[in-house]
Structure formats: structure tokens, C-alpha cells
Amino acid sequence: MSRLIVVSNRVSVPKAAGAAGAQGGLAVALNSALREHRGIWFGWSGQETEEFTGHLNMQRISDVTTATIDLETQDIDEYYNGYANRTLWPLFHYRIDLTEYDRSFGEGYERVNARFATSVLPLIEPDDLVWVHDYHLLPLGSMLRRKGIRNRMGLFLHTPWPPTRLLVSLPFHERLVASMLEYDVIGFQTQEWLESFMHYVSKEMGLPITDDGTVEYQGRKILAKAFPIGVDYDEFVEGARSAEAQEAYERLKASIRGRKLMIGVDRLDYSKGLGERFESFGRFLTDHPDQAGNVVLLQIAPPSRGDVASYQQIREDLERKTGHINGAHADVAFVPIRYVNRGYPRSHLAGFYRAADIGLVTPLRDGMNLVAKEYVAAQDPEDPGVLILSQFAGAAQQLTEALLVNPHSIEHVSEAIKRALDMPLSERKQRHAALLASVRDEDVLRWREDFVTALFGQIDGNGTNGDKVHDKAA
């Protein structure tokens, strides 16, 4: 049986038996796949070193082997904080106004991908499958090919893929996309992002595309396909029934004293539309003064990427808007927005979700958004809450029974809040049943199985996809 080599920017070390804390659904799914295929998870340790050595820190916990490397401060500044999060991230989320083009960023991105390739190379055996994750490592497959790797390799992009008219603003965009075509399988979250990619390779590169989604490039065939990711449904539902979740539910319910509760859980990121969300709630309170004192918005927003200036600005803007709305609509016994800059264990979040009458998930652009799916999974089927979901989240293509909104329209979101609060139980149950079926049936395990199956597929008699490359160098 072929081993699975997972490569990502960061590595989620499996929890040892009895260890405290919980892992995310993606980590659970990948660790499960690694156990099944005797694999290795390779990536950056998150630690800095004065001089890059390529030393591998190998660990084996719960039958999963991890291998990590440390990076230099310059690598982190140019590759991670620079090209990944100040160039590709805003561009891929349609924020060309925030996209920074700096030659040193691109050089750092290429350098770190080359270091990843050199470091992971000795770990790859001839029959291994290599699964690379996300925008940090788009050219890694091409660099491994140049080092002689003929193995089947796949890339899964967790973010959106931008329209061609935006992507062409990126210097050397064609070289970047061409490097991606060294993978055998390229996966996207949704059909929309897939179509944007196909439009680019067809219109900008002139490549033929077959009806089954195969791109032909330099004598090779690359499968590009949508693989929508889900949550670990069984694991999340089990966590939602835990004593920790129940305690979190009861504590939050007691604190709101019979009021209606809306919840948002997002990283502190401009793509999440938190400022627009707060303004929409403020508009709702202004338009419906009779509801002031009856509805609370709990926004949990752990900080992220604090070294990037735009994220510092987001935090300042949200604190200002929170103060403005609370100042206008609070009284001595009520504060409409509870804005919390910290994270919580997933079992606690499950309890919070269950306590909430409305799940407010309104990103301006999102590859998928698993918070929407977790909210659905946590609900009581006999008295479920209502999901308000941005039409620009990848999840909207699956969760069509949510109240879909344009997050840029303050009025639209405000009206959806009113509709959700007034929705009769029968409609809430009908919508939730359809949403739950989607979340349950299209979970993270199915996503993992579908992608790995595609990665195994289309293998010719030599165990490859006809790649015109040499064997791995000795």
C-alpha cells in the first residue's frame, strides 16, 4: 500500500492519548489518513532559527509521524508574512486594494518552497503519494519534479481562486500557474473557484480542457476538480454532547437572561466581513428599536497575523465600531455586542453554537467556511437556530437552505436578522433538516477519501501519470 506524504505550511501534531485540548476537523481527517496509509506530515515547525539547516525534527505520536523544519526570520518575514499573507491571501480573496507586490516577498516565497522541497525529498519513497496543501506551497510540486520526483502529487487549495482579471495583476502569474500544473490532481473548494482556474488556463495559457476536467499541459494530463471540505460530523456531534459543551451552553444561556442570541466565530481577518456584520446589527437595532435589549451578538474573533499591519487596523476598527454601537444601544443592564478576542476549545464552541438562535456567518469571501457547518451540526433538531450565510462563502453552494445574504449590503443582512428572529418553528426545522443532511453526508472524511482516491487514480503501467521527468536523484 502506498504511503501518504502530507505537506503543509504548518503541521498539526496529533494529540497523544489522554492529552488535553481538541484538534480541528482538518487535522483529524489528515491524521486519520496518515494512520491508514502509514504516512508522514511535513511542514514548518512555527519556530525561528538563526541559520537554516534543514534539520528534521521527527516525532511519532498516536501512529502518526511528523517531520518539521525551522525557518530563518527573513524566511518568515518574506515567505509567510510577505508573499503568502500580504500578496496571495488578499489577492485570492479579491482584495486587490490590499495586495502588496514586493520583489523580496516573491524571492522569499521561492526560497522557502525550495527549502521545503530539499527537506522533504529524503522522506519520499518511490510509491508514496504526495498531498500538498494551500497557497503557501503552490510551486512545491514543480520543485520536487525538478529534483526527480515522479510520484503522484496533488494540491488542494483551501482558499478561493480569483477571477482571471484579478490574477493577471500578479507579477509572474503565468509562471506560478504553470508550476501548479506539475501536480497530477488540483483540488478546489467549490465549482466557482474551479471554473475561475479553468478560465485562466484556457484563456491565458491556451491549454485544452476535456469535458471531465482534465487539463493537458506539456504531454501530461492534470485533473482539476472541486472537492468541498466538510466537518468531522461524528466527532463534532460527540463533542457537542460532552459535559464541557453542556456547561458552556448553560453558562452562556444564563448570561443572556432570556434574550435572543446571535453568534459569529471568525479569525480576525478582513475577509470575514466583521465590520460590515457589526454595522448590519447596528442597523437592525436602529430600524427595530423595540428589539433593543432583546438581542445579543456574541462575536468571538481570535487575533491572527498580528505582524501584518492590515490586521492591526482591523482590530482597531472593530473595537471602535463595537464602542459606537454599544454606546448607542446599550443601557445599564444590557450590552448588544459582546466582542471577544480569544479562542475557545471546540467543545465549548459547540455549546455556544447550540445556545445561539442565529448563526451569523457573513464573510466577504471565503473558500468554504466550516463555522457554518459546525453551527448546523450543533443545533437541537427539535428547536434549531437559523443560519444566516454569506452568498460569497464556498459553503453557500451546499447550504442552500440557509438565509443567503449579500454581506456588503447592510440592509440585506439587517432584514435577514429580522426574518430569522420571526421564523416559525416549522420552517426552522424544515430548513435545518436539509442543512443537516448536507453537513452529515458531505463531511471531512468524504472529502479526504474523494481526494485520495483521485490521487490514486489514472495511474499508468509505470505507476505514474505519464510524467516526462526523471527518477528521483540519488
Side-chain angles (χ1 to χ4, degrees):
M1 181 186 227
S2 299
R3 296 190 313 165
L4 182 65
I5 308 298
V6 172
V7 186
S8 60
N9 174 58
R10 294 291 301 274
V11 173
S12 179
V13 178
K15 298 290 184 182
Q23 292 181 288
L26 174 61
V28 170
L30 291 179
N31 281 318
S32 174
L34 289 166
R35 291 188 186 96
E36 181 179 339
H37 296 279
R38 302 177 296 109
I40 298 173
W41 194 341
F42 172 86
W44 173 37
S45 65
Q47 301 300 312
E48 297 183 18
T49 182
E50 290 186 4
E51 182 178 356
F52 178 79
T53 64
H55 171 73
L56 293 174
N57 178 18
M58 307 287 294
Q59 297 187 55
R60 186 166 180 81
I61 301 175
S62 301
D63 296 324
V64 173
T65 299
T66 63
T68 58
I69 56 174
D70 299 339
L71 295 177
E72 296 175 8
T73 300
Q74 183 180 1
D75 291 336
I76 297 168
D77 289 342
E78 295 175 352
Y79 150 76
Y80 182 71
N81 292 327
Y83 200 79
N85 289 318
R86 290 161 66 179
T87 302
L88 292 183
W89 178 268
L91 178 62
F92 283 13
H93 288 83
Y94 297 40
R95 292 301 303 270
I96 195 171
D97 58 312
L98 296 176
T99 303
E100 299 181 35
Y101 304 115
D102 187 305
R103 181 174 297 176
S104 68
F105 292 172
E107 292 171 351
Y109 185 73
E110 294 280 335
R111 182 178 63 253
V112 171
N113 270 267
R115 288 178 167 179
F116 266 58
T118 299
S119 300
V120 77
L121 182 69
L123 302 177
I124 302 174
E125 298 178 357
D127 292 332
D128 289 345
L129 300 176
V130 180
W131 189 2
V132 178
H133 286 265
D134 229 359
Y135 61 101
H136 310 83
L137 303 172
L138 300 182
L140 179 62
S142 175
M143 294 178 177
L144 287 172
R145 294 290 187 216
R146 291 202 296 268
K147 292 180 178 296
I149 292 295
R150 302 183 72 241
N151 303 56
R152 294 278 296 174
M153 293 195 296
L155 169 71
F156 185 78
L157 187 66
H158 293 261
T159 66
W161 182 265
T164 296
R165 65 184 179 274
L166 295 184
L167 185 61
V168 295
S169 70
L170 180 70
F172 308 110
H173 53 86
E174 185 167 337
R175 186 175 75 183
L176 184 66
V177 175
S179 73
M180 294 170 61
L181 295 176
E182 295 292 345
Y183 294 101
D184 298 290
V185 179
I186 304 174
F188 298 88
Q189 294 275 25
T190 71
Q191 193 68 24
E192 180 181 352
W193 317 139
L194 171 63
E195 291 172 356
S196 293
F197 178 80
M198 292 301 211
H199 182 271
Y200 178 91
V201 297
S202 174
K203 300 302 182 183
E204 293 295 318
M205 302 179 71
L207 301 181
I209 300 172
T210 64
D211 292 339
D212 65 353
T214 300
V215 179
E216 297 182 4
Y217 179 66
Q218 296 184 349
R220 302 177 61 249
K221 294 183 178 181
I222 302 95
L223 175 64
K225 186 177 179 181
F227 298 89
I229 196 170
V231 299
D232 187 335
Y233 178 79
D234 290 337
E235 183 266 346
F236 190 81
V237 169
E238 180 180 355
R241 295 169 177 163
S242 67
E244 293 85 356
Q246 184 62 28
E247 192 274 335
Y249 168 88
E250 292 173 354
R251 187 172 75 252
L252 182 55
K253 274 291 193 183
S255 74
I256 62 174
R257 300 181 179 181
R259 298 181 176 94
K260 295 292 185 179
L261 175 66
M262 299 192 296
I263 190 169
V265 179
D266 310 81
R267 283 188 306 104
L268 195 60
D269 188 283
Y270 48 77
S271 68
K272 302 302 182 181
L274 299 183
E276 290 82 356
R277 185 180 305 171
F278 284 11
E279 291 175 7
S280 297
F281 183 44
R283 178 62 176 267
F284 168 81
L285 294 174
T286 299
D287 290 349
H288 305 281
D290 58 308
Q291 293 294 325
N294 295 329
V295 185
V296 175
L297 169 61
L298 169 61
Q299 178 62 57
I300 297 172
S304 67
R305 300 170 188 155
D307 293 336
V308 180
S310 58
Y311 290 84
Q312 299 168 4
Q313 185 62 47
I314 294 165
R315 184 167 185 169
E316 293 173 4
D317 289 346
L318 290 177
E319 289 170 352
R320 177 177 51 80
K321 289 179 179 180
T322 300
H324 175 76
I325 293 169
N326 283 344
H329 299 285
D331 63 29
V332 293
F334 167 73
V335 177
I337 297 180
R338 298 183 181 182
Y339 174 47
V340 183
N341 280 136
R342 56 163 291 190
Y344 289 88
R346 294 178 75 235
S347 59
H348 291 200
L349 290 177
F352 296 160
Y353 291 142
R354 196 175 185 88
D357 301 279
I358 296 173
L360 201 53
V361 185
T362 54
L364 304 181
R365 191 74 53 177
D366 215 337
M368 178 54 65
N369 196 295
L370 296 182
V371 167
K373 297 186 176 186
E374 290 180 343
Y375 177 79
V376 170
Q379 295 307 296
D380 176 1
E382 296 305 313
D383 187 20
V386 179
L387 175 63
I388 298 177
L389 178 62
S390 166
Q391 67 191 64
F392 301 122
Q397 296 191 23
Q398 294 173 292
L399 304 181
T400 55
E401 289 302 310
L403 295 185
L404 300 181
V405 297
N406 176 0
H408 298 277
S409 171
I410 305 304
E411 293 84 358
H412 194 191
V413 178
S414 172
E415 291 167 359
I417 293 172
K418 182 66 166 64
R419 181 180 175 188
L421 291 171
D422 293 343
M423 188 177 292
L425 177 61
S426 59
E427 183 179 353
R428 285 192 281 123
K429 292 174 69 173
Q430 179 183 3
R431 287 178 178 272
H432 177 259
L435 293 170
L436 189 64
S438 174
V439 172
R440 181 187 62 238
D441 297 341
E442 298 177 297
D443 67 355
V444 73
L445 299 179
R446 176 176 170 180
W447 165 80
R448 182 256 292 178
E449 290 167 1
D450 286 351
F451 193 95
V452 173
T453 297
L455 195 52
F456 267 112
Q458 301 179 354
I459 300 178
D460 65 19
N462 295 319
T464 72
N465 192 28
D467 301 326
K468 296 181 177 179
V469 296
H470 300 291
D471 292 331
K472 177 179 171 181

